[in-house]
Amino acid sequence: MSVLTRLEKRLKEKAKPRLEERLTLRLDPATHSALEALAREHGMTLSELAREALTGGVPS
């Protein structure tokens, strides 16, 4: 086993699993439309806009 293979194996063993959560929101039609328009304005989908907002990367 090469040094790189061993190193890669060791790093994978120590890597923390990526946490993923799913969030579902119900929005009234006016809010949904407004957020969709904002997302389109920035070339994003509504899901991408929400993800950016939740991770602190809100488009300017």
Side-chain angles (χ1 to χ4, degrees), residues 19-53:
L19 299 177
E20 293 186 19
E21 294 183 29
R22 184 172 298 253
L23 177 65
T24 303
L25 298 174
R26 291 183 186 256
L27 302 172
D28 63 273
T31 302
H32 187 269
S33 295
L35 289 173
E36 275 189 326
L38 180 63
R40 277 194 306 273
E41 187 178 312
H42 291 280
M44 307 170 95
T45 65
L46 184 53
S47 292
E48 291 168 332
L49 179 73
R51 188 176 309 112
E52 289 295 318

Side-chain angles (χ1 to χ4, degrees), residues 1-13:
M1 186 181 299
S2 74
V3 172
L4 289 177
T5 304
R6 288 194 313 261
L7 178 59
E8 183 178 26
K9 182 181 176 192
R10 193 175 302 158
L11 288 173
K12 283 181 181 178
E13 289 170 354

